[in-house]
Amino acid sequence: MKLYDYILSPSCYKIRLMAAILGVKLEIRPVDFHPGAEHRGPELLALNPAGSIPILEDGDLVLTESCAILVYIAAQSAPEWLGTGTPEKAARVQQWLSFSHRLTANLGGARLHEMLLRPGNIETLQAQGIAGLRELEGGLFEQSLRGMRFLASNRATIADIACFPYVALAPDGGVSLDFYPSIRLWLRAIRSLDGFIEMPGIHRLHELKPDPHSANEDG
């Protein structure tokens, strides 16, 4: 499998992270996203007319949406990551996969505005991002009441991988994670997964911040 990849793209990182956790080898084809805009050049537009990355090639198959790529890799190597088993788990995974697109639009949009000067209304993007984090915090808190650490069950699924990067990188767009203890516990849980790999800019929050369950934490 060949991944057309930009090292600083959270959407590309999702794919690298999923593959690393599952032990799937990828052929990495670096893309000069910035400043070269290679993703809008003729070679990559022939693969993905939308002009976006990641792009995954596997033989004659070409996939151009990060969630679809996550599904493909998991279905081949570890179907339990799809959340199958009960209708409830399957539905929860699909719900959070859809939610991840909103994170890309708002938290990702704020990050692109602040880091690459991408046009956009930063106040609106940040406000939408904060609303998304509050929704995620509430969902994770409800899961904790059920005794579950992750979004769809007590084990990680592709839904967690889909949502993780843009949440972890929210501070790049000027959105703090300090007010969301359930999210920070969830970030720790993902970082503790076997095979977890780093991405530039995703700091070791478990080293920089107190444990959200610490007696000294205000919440």
Side-chain angles (χ1 to χ4, degrees), residues 98-119:
S98 297
F99 175 80
S100 73
H101 293 297
R102 289 160 51 195
L103 297 177
T104 302
N106 47 59
L107 293 178
R111 181 173 180 267
L112 285 174
H113 182 280
E114 295 296 274
M115 297 188 69
L116 300 183
L117 304 180
R118 181 73 61 86

Side-chain angles (χ1 to χ4, degrees), residues 200-212:
I202 292 185
H203 307 293
R204 294 183 176 274
L205 292 181
H206 60 289
E207 294 176 0
L208 299 176
K209 297 287 185 182
D211 187 318

Side-chain angles (χ1 to χ4, degrees), residues 24-88:
V24 173
K25 291 188 177 181
L26 295 174
E27 176 189 347
I28 300 296
R29 182 350 191 130
V31 174
D32 183 6
F33 182 87
H34 180 79
E38 186 184 3
H39 56 299
R40 299 195 181 277
E43 177 189 355
L44 296 194
L45 284 176
L47 291 173
N48 181 13
S52 62
I53 51 175
I55 302 169
L56 185 79
E57 279 188 310
D58 190 18
D60 294 332
L61 177 68
V62 177
L63 296 173
T64 60
E65 296 292 336
S66 61
C67 287
I69 296 171
L70 291 177
V71 169
Y72 182 69
I73 292 175
Q76 282 197 327
S77 302
E80 64 272 16
W81 279 78
L82 299 176
T84 52
T86 68
E88 179 183 357

